[in-house]
Amino acid sequence: MNYRYLLSGLLLSLLGNLCHAQSICITNGEWPPYMGQDLPDYGPVSAIITEAFALEGIEVDWQFYPWARAMLAAEQGQCNGTAVWSSNPERRKAFYFSAPIILNNSQFLYLESKPLDWENMSDLAGLTLGGAIGYDYGDAFNEGERKGTFKVTRLRNETIGIRMLLANRLDAFPIDTVVGKALLQESFSAEERTSLRFHPRTLRTDPLFLLLTRSIDDNQAMLERFNRGLQKLHESGAYELYMSRIETP
């Protein structure tokens, strides 16, 4: 037996394992201005996650998918995790949750020509609302959708939702306020923008998290390292610098 080649093989194997241990695969989706494949550093929220891991010696391999597939790929262990999502009991069973990364503030977008007046979900009875596939709009919305209090048309992305709203095929569409304003500015005409309104009542305000699947053994330790890195970003002021990149129309 050639022990020199055996030792070289073992060393290469060890180095390969070490390299693998210092990288992590995270799925992502299109959610500008927070995240997006064509944004600088994949968007400020992606940059925060990348830098928090980097401070702990971990490199992020980002994989972009439609949101529902991004969640499924992470849940099945094809990637370590997915960013960023709200909390619900079903997700808590499948994933470890990080410290909060950003706050999501959602409102209903509607046509000025079709005023929307609501305080409770019961006020939306009989309406046709939109919603993105894979998005969770909160317990009250989910219950209304499940019970049929209102009809919810689930769509591939939020751009399609706004276009259906403009075509009078929806009565309202829930969307993060910052995301909605950026999307309107980027993808819709001035005439289209002036025909739409954000309802002042907030549908949901909640933190969004990095999720790492429970199906991968090292993920709990990885999440602890991420949280340490995120805390360092807050303490250094770097977190605020990344978030200051977001320009709201």
Side-chain angles (χ1 to χ4, degrees):
M1 177 181 292
N2 190 323
Y3 289 99
R4 185 178 65 180
Y5 287 121
L6 177 60
L7 181 58
S8 297
L10 289 172
L11 286 172
L12 287 172
S13 177
L14 177 59
L15 287 171
N17 288 336
L18 287 173
C19 289
H20 177 73
Q22 299 305 306
S23 66
I24 189 168
C25 171
I26 301 175
T27 65
N28 203 339
E30 295 298 323
W31 204 44
Y34 294 121
M35 299 183 291
Q37 193 166 11
D38 296 325
L39 297 176
D41 301 320
Y42 300 141
V45 172
S46 303
I48 286 167
I49 294 170
T50 298
E51 184 62 19
F53 273 118
L55 289 171
E56 292 293 311
I58 301 168
E59 181 180 355
V60 177
D61 172 23
W62 289 104
Q63 301 289 325
F64 280 81
Y65 299 108
W67 283 110
R69 186 179 170 195
M71 170 66 77
L72 184 61
E75 187 172 356
Q76 293 178 343
Q78 297 172 33
C79 267
N80 294 75
T82 182
V84 287
W85 301 82
S86 60
S87 174
N88 64 34
E90 182 180 355
R91 291 173 185 168
R92 288 279 177 183
K93 291 177 183 178
F95 294 96
Y96 300 112
F97 275 63
S98 73
I101 299 176
I102 58 168
L103 278 179
N104 165 236
N105 183 71
S106 296
Q107 296 172 278
F108 279 116
L109 191 62
Y110 65 96
L111 280 171
E112 184 181 28
S113 60
K114 292 178 63 176
L116 179 68
D117 183 21
W118 80 283
E119 291 187 10
N120 303 298
M121 288 293 147
S122 59
D123 298 327
L124 303 172
L127 298 184
T128 299
L129 308 177
I133 296 171
Y135 282 34
D136 184 341
Y137 296 103
D139 292 342
F141 186 96
N142 296 340
E143 184 178 3
E145 180 179 12
R146 184 173 59 252
K147 288 184 175 180
T149 304
F150 42 78
K151 179 183 177 182
V152 179
T153 301
R154 291 283 178 169
L155 304 161
R156 191 169 69 252
N157 59 53
E158 291 167 310
T159 301
I160 296 173
I162 295 175
R163 296 210 178 279
M164 287 186 65
L165 192 59
L166 288 165
N168 207 23
R169 295 172 61 190
L170 298 174
D171 295 303
F173 188 82
I175 193 168
D176 177 271
T177 311
V178 173
V179 171
K181 289 179 178 179
L183 192 56
L184 287 171
Q185 192 67 33
E186 180 180 341
S187 303
F188 296 87
S189 69
E191 182 180 359
E192 289 171 325
R193 293 196 297 272
T194 57
S195 70
L196 295 168
R197 294 288 182 272
F198 285 93
H199 194 282
R201 181 172 297 282
T202 298
L203 171 63
R204 187 181 192 188
T205 298
D206 54 351
L208 302 181
F209 308 86
L210 169 68
L211 279 56
L212 298 188
T213 179
R214 293 177 181 270
S215 65
I216 295 179
D217 292 338
D218 293 340
N219 269 354
Q220 190 168 15
M222 282 285 198
L223 196 68
E224 291 172 1
R225 294 170 71 178
F226 169 78
N227 285 339
R228 286 199 299 267
L230 182 61
Q231 183 61 33
K232 292 174 186 176
L233 290 182
H234 281 292
E235 292 170 353
S236 68
Y239 175 92
E240 286 74 18
L241 287 176
Y242 279 119
M243 293 303 291
S244 69
R245 296 182 184 179
I246 298 172
E247 298 180 5
T248 53

